[in-house]
């Protein structure tokens, strides 16, 4: 077996070694010509190209579309309208009442997204923290539970949405259980409150493993000695949590908070598959609004969708800057 | 009545037994040092006394009270951790007062105790800094201060100087000794450093594989090691041990010199020990043994010679250490004839235990 493994290794590595030898003189010549900086640029180039084609150019194009009107798809065929789409989105008598706005659906989606972020992020941080605290204890089957909580993160959001729709729909698993218990079946996804709660809950379930992992890493980085010193001092558990665990977990909590905020603002796939934005517009979120205005409605308006995208991007940029700042300060500061 | 008493204390982790029935009495005001090689159980024993770990069997008493099942906080002890375990997000002042605040002590008293400890340890200017802004020695002081403010029955110190550089370790060692003298509080100190043990301890507890090998005052340990392990462990370089055989009330040393060996059956395997300090250059026709020099460590005030017994240079040359006073002007490869005074011989029986017999120490 050993020799089989050995020859398999040789077969795999030999072509790579030959390739490396072939390109080595070229790379050396390039480095002599451009220096270390040029070499670094050369290695970064593939990723920069991908970033440029799939992120940078679309952003610029999106900005251009947001300043055009009409229903044409090709940019060249669209008339320039300046900031008209933005003005249309922002035109409102009373921002707290979406129906008084010209683009009432945009403001409904914005309000729903705001509420979603508020509830989902609070729930996410709380649930992830509690889960991480439990998984950080020396409980039986700790490795198994860590895997179980992380598993939903590996699922496609569409699969998550479908699974929970099968559970929560009128003839779903939950109602089967409810009926078996002798209770009245509920229309979980057709009620404004329960549908919204389902979107919050399902999204939390799907992503909490990721945030739990970040918090667990933070908890494990807190030296055990600190807890033992507190134990010697007779510190009550609640005070240990408040005065030691929470402050030392602060940088991780901040990162979790901001990442969850960013993800919350972007909520789309699992909620769309789960509720389709309904009932009515009760689970219509910004990304779905943009998607529908730009692509899915009969009177599609790419310019308006692009303008809405730019406004949402503005919010995300601010949140990302906060996140970068937090992660830089937590990386630079010592625990 | 001893202040801290261990009675048959045993500790197992799963199926692995790490402390085997330790009995120990520590008197009020003593500075007892646990010393032993890595993995001997010295830190585990300290944690059992502290209450951070529970013994599998046996009892621990403090001031006559059985505290075996009493929580760490209620034993009245304070611990200084190897890593210092300072709360990194709190200032020095907050670190010092944190434990006292748990006891609902009046604020004025907390402030007073913190100020007193800070004054005693010369850390007053550091009170508003965080641990990351302190040097290793300053952190060490804060860790000790955190123990002092609690006014404990006894201090438990787990290798407190091991993270400091050599120079700082020497000065902190002196400070700790002075602190112990001033406070008069019982201290239990864990270290693997013999010099710390010898210089600080009222008594040293030598541990090996979870068992107490010997408890004695530092010089008694050096002069009268109870067995071969202690003889080899205490003293640097370690004692030269010569396995030999008892014949006709004597035993032969390398070079053929016979020394008295009473109290063991004829023909039994015995070991004779000689500290490197007690070897000297032989005078005239004085009997001794020849040593071929393999390494010289000239320290100025003395010279440490590593050598092989002449005539044993085959597969298993017998290593011998000798410490010669001053700078004797020897060179690698030289053959030295070394003599010794029989009064300095240590004799160990077939079971490795010290034999009570002729000669000191």
């Amino acid at each position: 077996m050993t020799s089989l493994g050995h020859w398999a290794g040789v077969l795999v590595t030999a072509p790579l070694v030959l390739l490396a030898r072939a390109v080595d003189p070229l790379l050396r010549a390039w480095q002599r010509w451009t220096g270390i900086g040029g070499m670094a640029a050369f290695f970064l180039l593939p990723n920069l190209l991908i970033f440029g084609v799939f992120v940078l150019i679309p952003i610029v194009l999106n900005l251009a579309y947001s300043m055009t009107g009409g229903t044409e798809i090709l940019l060249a065929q669209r008339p320039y309208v300046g900031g008209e789409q933005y003005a249309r989105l922002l035109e409102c008598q009373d921002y707290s009442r979406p129906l008084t706005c010209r683009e009432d659906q945009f403001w409904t989606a914005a309000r729903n997204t705001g509420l979603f972020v508020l509830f989902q992020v609070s729930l996410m941080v709380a649930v992830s923290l509690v889960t991480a605290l439990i998984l950080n204890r020396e409980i039986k089957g700790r490795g198994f539970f860590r895997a179980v909580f992380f598993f939903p993160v590996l699922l496609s959001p569409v699969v998550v949405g479908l699974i929970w729709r099968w559970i929560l729909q009128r003839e779903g698993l939950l109602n089967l259980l409810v009926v078996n218990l002798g209770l009245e079946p509920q229309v979980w996804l057709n009620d404004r409150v329960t549908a919204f709660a389902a979107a919050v809950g399902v999204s939390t379930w799907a992503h909490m493993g990721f945030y739990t992992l970040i918090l667990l890493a933070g908890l494990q980085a807190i030296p055990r000695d600190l807890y033992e010193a507190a134990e010697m001092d007779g510190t009550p558990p609640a005070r240990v949590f408040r005065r030691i665990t929470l402050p030392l977990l602060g940088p991780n909590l901040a990162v979790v908070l901001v990442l969850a905020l960013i993800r919350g603002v972007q909520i789309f796939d699992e909620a769309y598959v789960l509720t389709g934005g309904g009932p009515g517009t009760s689970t219509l979120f910004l990304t779905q609004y943009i998607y529908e205005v730009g692509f899915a409605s009969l009177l599609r308006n790419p310019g308006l969708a692009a303008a809405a995208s730019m406004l949402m991007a503005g919010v995300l940029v601010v949140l990302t800057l906060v996140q970068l700042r937090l992660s830089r300060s937590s990386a630079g500061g010592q625990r | 009545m001893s202040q801290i008493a261990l009675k048959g204390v045993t500790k197992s982790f799963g199926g692995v037994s790490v402390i085997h029935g330790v009995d120990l009495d520590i008197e009020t005001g003593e500075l007892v040092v646990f010393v032993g090689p890595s993995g001997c159980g010295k830190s585990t024993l300290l944690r059992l006394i502290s209450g951070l770990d529970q013994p599998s069997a046996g009892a621990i008493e403090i001031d006559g009270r059985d505290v075996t099942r009493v929580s760490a906080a209620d034993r009245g002890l304070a611990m200084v951790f190897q890593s210092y375990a300072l709360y990194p997000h709190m200032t020095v002042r907050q670190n010092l007062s944190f434990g006292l605040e748990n006891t609902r002590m009046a604020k004025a008293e907390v402030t007073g105790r913190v100020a007193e400890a800070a004054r005693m340890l010369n850390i007053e200017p550091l009170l508003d800094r965080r641990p990351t802004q302190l040097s290793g020695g300053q952190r060490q002081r804060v860790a000790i201060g955190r123990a002092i403010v609690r006014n404990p029955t006894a201090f438990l110190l787990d290798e407190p100087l091991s993270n400091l550089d050599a120079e700082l370790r020497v000065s902190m060692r002196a400070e700790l000794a002075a602190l112990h003298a001033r406070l008069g509080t019982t201290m239990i100190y864990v270290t693997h450093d013999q010099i710390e043990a010898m210089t600080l301890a009222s008594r040293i507890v030598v541990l090996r594989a979870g068992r107490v090998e010997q408890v004695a005052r530092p010089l008694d340990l050096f002069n009268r090691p109870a067995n071969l392990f202690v003889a080899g462990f205490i003293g640097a370089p370690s004692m030269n041990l010569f396995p030999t055989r008892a014949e006709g009330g004597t035993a032969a040393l390398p070079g053929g010199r016979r020394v008295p060996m009473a109290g063991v059956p004829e023909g039994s395997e015995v070991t004779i020990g000689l500290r490197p300090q007690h070897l000297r250059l032989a005078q005239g026709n004085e009997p001794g043994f020849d040593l071929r020099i393999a390494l010289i460590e000239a320290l100025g005030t003395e010279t440490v010679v590593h050598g092989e017994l002449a005539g044993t240079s085959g597969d298993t040359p017998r290593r011998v250490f000798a410490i010669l006073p001053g700078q004797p002007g020897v060179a690698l490869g030289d053959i030295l004839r070394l003599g010794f005074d029989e009064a300095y011989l240590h004799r160990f029986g077939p079971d490795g235990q010290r034999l009570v017999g002729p000669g000191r120490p």
Side-chain angles (χ1 to χ4, degrees):
Chain A
M1 282 306 285
T2 313
S3 80
L4 193 68
H6 172 75
W7 286 112
V10 169
L11 272 176
V12 172
T13 50
L16 294 175
V17 171
L18 289 176
L19 182 70
R21 286 200 180 145
V23 299
D24 193 52
L26 295 174
L27 290 176
R28 281 173 191 278
W30 173 263
Q31 181 165 337
R32 265 198 304 277
W33 187 43
T34 61
I36 291 284
M39 200 68 188
F42 177 77
F43 284 123
L44 284 174
L45 196 63
N47 208 16
L48 282 177
L49 277 177
I50 293 171
F51 179 77
V53 170
F54 293 104
V55 179
L56 210 58
I57 294 175
I59 288 176
V60 175
L61 277 176
N62 193 70
L63 182 65
Y65 269 95
S66 72
M67 295 182 184
T68 59
T71 56
E72 298 299 329
I73 287 293
L74 288 176
L75 190 60
Q77 296 170 352
R78 298 174 58 78
Y80 176 77
V81 295
E84 194 182 286
Q85 304 284 21
Y86 292 96
R88 182 174 163 183
L89 281 175
L90 296 173
E91 188 182 329
C92 207
Q93 288 171 14
D94 179 356
Y95 287 106
S96 65
R97 287 189 296 149
L99 288 176
T100 65
C101 303
R102 185 171 169 198
E103 281 301 321
D104 60 323
Q105 295 259 318
F106 173 76
W107 287 101
T108 302
R111 187 195 59 189
N112 286 347
T113 307
L115 284 174
F116 177 85
V117 165
L118 181 72
F119 288 113
Q120 197 256 4
V121 171
S122 314
L123 186 67
M124 179 73 90
V125 171
V127 171
S128 306
L129 181 59
V130 170
T131 312
L133 286 169
I134 293 170
L135 291 180
N136 194 39
R137 299 177 77 95
E138 287 175 9
I139 51 169
K140 273 190 181 170
R142 185 163 65 165
F144 170 75
F145 285 115
R146 282 181 186 178
V148 163
F149 282 106
F150 190 72
F151 186 64
V153 177
L154 304 175
L155 295 176
S156 146
V158 174
V159 173
V160 169
L162 278 176
I163 290 173
W164 282 96
R165 202 169 74 191
W166 290 332
I167 294 172
L168 297 172
Q169 66 194 4
R170 194 189 293 267
E171 294 86 20
L173 280 175
L174 184 61
N175 272 344
L176 193 69
L177 189 72
V178 167
V179 170
N180 277 340
L181 289 172
L183 303 169
E184 279 291 303
Q186 302 292 313
V187 283
W188 307 107
L189 297 179
N190 288 336
D191 176 90
R192 299 179 69 84
V193 175
T194 53
F196 191 86
V200 168
V202 168
S203 162
T204 306
W205 176 84
H207 302 296
M208 63 169 282
F210 175 67
Y211 301 106
T212 300
L213 210 64
I214 297 177
L215 294 178
L216 193 59
L219 285 173
Q220 294 193 335
I222 301 176
R224 207 178 110 185
D225 283 358
L226 298 186
Y227 291 110
E228 290 185 339
E231 189 183 342
M232 290 296 294
D233 286 340
T235 317
R239 191 164 191 250
V240 170
F241 179 71
R242 197 164 42 84
R243 294 290 308 274
I244 297 173
T245 306
L246 266 188
L248 292 178
L249 201 58
N252 295 66
L253 269 173
V255 168
V256 161
L257 186 72
V258 178
L259 284 179
L261 274 172
I262 292 172
R263 201 155 195 166
V265 173
Q266 293 172 313
I267 176 70
F268 176 57
D269 358 33
E270 62 259 35
Y272 185 65
V273 174
L274 187 71
T275 64
T281 54
S282 57
T283 56
L284 174 69
F285 300 114
L286 269 177
T287 313
Q288 186 185 340
Y289 167 82
I290 292 164
Y291 165 69
E292 287 182 344
V293 168
F295 304 100
S297 60
L298 285 175
L299 290 170
R300 63 169 179 253
N301 187 343
L304 192 64
S309 290
M310 292 311 292
L311 292 181
M312 193 172 124
V315 174
L316 290 175
V317 164
V318 170
L319 289 174
T320 307
L321 287 177
V322 172
Q323 196 259 329
L324 281 176
R325 197 185 170 94
L326 284 173
S327 50
R328 204 173 301 150
S329 66
S330 69
Q334 289 178 12
R335 277 185 176 280
Chain B
M1 185 180 66
S2 58
Q3 190 186 26
I4 297 176
L6 307 185
K7 296 182 173 172
V9 170
T10 298
K11 177 67 181 174
S12 304
F13 291 104
V16 183
S17 191
V18 291
I19 300 287
H20 309 272
V22 168
D23 293 298
L24 184 66
D25 290 313
I26 296 169
E27 305 297 331
T28 304
E30 271 194 306
L31 197 165
V32 170
V33 175
F34 292 172
V35 73
S38 289
C40 69
K42 49 193 188 295
S43 286
T44 305
L45 200 56
L46 193 77
R47 291 174 62 84
L48 293 175
I49 297 171
S50 73
L52 290 173
D53 285 333
Q54 294 297 316
S56 309
I60 298 168
E61 291 179 2
I62 298 176
D63 288 329
R65 184 171 70 110
D66 186 340
V67 297
T68 316
R69 302 290 157 204
V70 172
S71 72
D74 295 328
R75 294 189 183 194
L77 306 172
M79 185 140 164
V80 177
F81 292 83
Q82 184 175 5
S83 64
Y84 315 137
L86 299 177
Y87 306 119
H89 55 297
M90 296 185 199
T91 62
V92 169
R93 190 190 307 278
Q94 289 166 329
N95 263 286
L96 294 179
S97 62
F98 184 77
L100 299 178
E101 287 161 5
N102 292 326
T103 61
R104 299 180 187 281
M105 185 181 280
K107 209 167 182 176
E109 188 172 354
V110 172
T111 311
R113 283 207 195 184
V114 168
E116 171 65 15
R119 189 189 55 73
M120 199 184 289
L121 295 163
N122 288 324
I123 52 172
E124 285 157 310
L126 312 176
L127 281 174
D128 293 315
R129 292 202 202 161
R130 286 173 195 253
T132 48
Q133 299 168 301
L134 304 179
S135 69
Q138 290 169 332
R139 285 183 211 180
Q140 176 57 259
R141 284 204 181 89
V142 177
I144 294 170
R146 193 168 64 177
I148 288 178
V149 291
R150 296 191 56 211
N151 199 11
T153 311
F155 290 94
L156 311 178
L157 302 107
D158 188 4
E159 306 217 25
L161 306 185
S162 61
N163 288 342
L164 303 178
D165 61 51
E167 199 179 336
L168 200 53
R169 203 151 54 211
V170 173
S171 66
M172 281 306 291
R173 204 165 68 205
E175 283 191 36
L176 269 175
L179 192 69
H180 177 247
R182 190 175 346 158
L183 295 172
T185 311
T186 309
M187 288 185 178
I188 305 178
Y189 188 108
V190 165
T191 182
H192 61 268
D193 184 329
Q194 285 187 38
I195 299 176
E196 272 174 36
M198 295 295 283
T199 52
L200 284 172
S202 318
R203 282 191 303 155
I204 295 176
V205 178
V206 182
L207 289 154
R208 177 173 64 152
R211 289 190 171 83
V212 174
E213 293 287 330
Q214 188 172 5
V215 184
R217 287 197 295 256
L219 286 182
D220 287 342
L221 214 57
F222 184 83
N223 292 332
R224 296 177 178 280
N227 53 42
L228 282 172
F229 173 76
V230 179
F233 187 75
I234 297 292
S238 58
M239 184 187 282
N240 298 302
L241 297 168
F242 304 105
T244 180
R245 188 181 297 274
E247 284 166 349
T250 62
L253 276 167
R257 180 170 168 184
R258 300 199 75 85
V259 296
M261 177 61 72
V264 285
E266 181 71 6
S268 54
E269 305 280 345
V270 294
T271 306
I272 293 178
L274 247 175
R275 292 218 178 267
Q277 295 84 345
H278 298 145
L279 285 168
R280 53 180 158 72
L281 294 174
Q283 309 288 320
N285 288 331
E286 184 188 354
F289 48 82
D290 295 332
L291 195 70
R292 186 185 303 108
I293 299 178
L295 179 70
I296 298 169
E297 294 172 331
L299 305 177
T301 53
E302 60 187 26
T303 302
V304 181
V305 174
H306 300 228
E308 289 162 8
L309 283 176
T312 62
S313 57
D315 289 341
T316 54
R318 175 80 52 72
R319 277 266 160 171
V320 170
F321 301 106
I323 298 179
L324 304 175
Q327 300 164 14
V330 292
L332 282 182
D334 282 359
I335 293 186
L336 301 179
R337 187 158 190 83
L338 295 174
F340 53 88
D341 186 337
E342 279 183 19
Y344 291 114
L345 292 179
H346 300 262
R347 296 169 171 84
F348 301 94
D351 57 356
Q353 296 300 307
R354 182 182 190 81
L355 292 172
V356 180
R360 75 170 281 270

